[in-house]
Amino acid sequence: MIETSLQKVAIEENLEQFLLVLLVALSVAIIPQILSWFRRIPYTLLLVIVGLGLAVADVRLVQLSPELILLIFLPPLLFEAAWNLKWSRLKQDLIPICLYAVLGTIIAIVGVAIGLNQLAGLSVTTALLIGASLAATDPVSVTALFRELGVDKRLTTLMEGESLFNDGMAVVAFGFVVAFSQGTANLAIVAIVTQLVMVVGIGLVAGALIGFGISYLTQRFDLPLVEQSLTLVAAYGTYLIAEKLGGSGVIGVVTTGLILGNFGSRIGMNPRTRVIVSEFWEFLSFFVNSIVFLLIGDRIRFTVLAENWVAISVTIAAMISARAIGIYGLGSLSNRLAGTEKISIPERTVLWWGGLRGAVSIALALSVPENIPGRDAIVATVFGAVLFTLLVQGLTIQPLLARLDLLGDQPMRQHYLEIIAHQTALNRVLEHLGEIERHPGVEPDFYQYQRSLAQGELTRLQAELEDLQNDYPDLQTIIAEQLRDELLAIEADTYAQLVQAGRLDRELSLLMEVEKTELTEI
């Protein structure tokens, strides 16, 4: 009876903490909509700042366990990113992505380890553990900013592709370093390579089998909610199965997400189901990221950071330097090996500075066994380095993009849409004035004055639109793309209405989508 009561109290306390975290996260999401100045700060970074504020006030939300991140938070974050990553773009830059994810990870670990060992006097084991923890990049905030600003999609693909694959490499490397520190690792080169191939191979095979299996399974029925649930089961199931078999759960989830997003959703899901599943994963990613980044800030202990400021400073310098060597050096190698478009110096600069660290690094540091000497210093150093990347690098990436002239066409698109919206609204005003012109009790001069105001503003907007078209020749392409998207939405909505009315048994393939794909390829 007592145990039942204690369990009930524990459940209630956990539920209260969960609701508190969710309330704070949603409040942070609303703030930029009320106070426009905060829109300059990416949402995830704003969460970290709020979490830091709670830490200063000594308000602790919940304990951030590594198992919670790795097992519950990591699979949906990886799956959502892989689901939305287009294979057509990924394969075009597969060489630089693989170079950055494999050799770049090794350079990052070795660079940080050498710096800490030589400059901060830390042991080789401790330095390697810190380097392995910080090898995994987490560019969620940066890529979200890229999409908001309309930055070239290739930069987003390079950054997301590197992050997806180097997470797996970093986790594998971290496991080996932990085994090395405990004296259980086989240091023979053949054994290391064999273990690496097995871990990566098992993850790839498990992910491929589950991904293709669910792809062909969903061909046999049309149940949107069931298909949505299957993707959720696939994300967690792949991670658990791959880890159980001794492989990389991270690589397994990425493989499954890529297959289902690029293959399974095309052969086994109708357009409406694809939209439902994509929106579900967009919500889940927002939800998980909100909690993780808020708790990262809340977990900070400033006194511990102050005690390890030397190690943190050396780590930051070594981490930035090692990434510069990896990005610029491997970028040059990629330009020689790949026949695709070259990665320019400005693009490499953004990739270098945009290599933020986040939830995976925190989880790896916290998962260091208690019996390893210097564990507290490892956790504090990793936290300090992660905090620097989020607040310093994360908040300066937009000015860097502007300085390098890499800002996309999103501001121009937004300006164009605002002009069109103003024109639509004023045309409706003129229509309404024409309908009520003979309204009793109102002087005719008043109607004429209001009409003149609207017409004058329409003339000004038309001139502004013409200037915009002259300044941005690509505007015609953007207008055409927007029109095609509108036509595609109309076609999809029509099929959905016909199915709901019982006039069709299932939704038809979108003819406009095929036409759009063909035009894009041309």
Side-chain angles (χ1 to χ4, degrees), residues 8-66:
K8 182 179 179 181
V9 171
I11 292 173
E12 290 179 351
E13 289 180 353
N14 290 332
L15 182 59
E16 289 175 0
Q17 290 178 328
F18 173 76
L19 291 175
L20 178 60
V21 172
L22 183 58
L23 179 61
V24 173
L26 293 176
S27 300
V28 174
I30 295 171
I31 289 174
Q33 307 305 317
I34 300 174
L35 302 174
S36 59
W37 184 88
F38 286 98
R39 295 175 190 172
R40 304 175 187 177
I41 306 175
Y43 168 65
T44 49
L45 299 187
L46 198 57
L47 286 166
V48 174
I49 294 171
V50 171
L52 287 173
L54 294 174
V56 171
D58 200 26
V59 177
R60 303 298 176 180
L61 297 174
V62 293
Q63 291 296 315
L64 184 65
S65 71

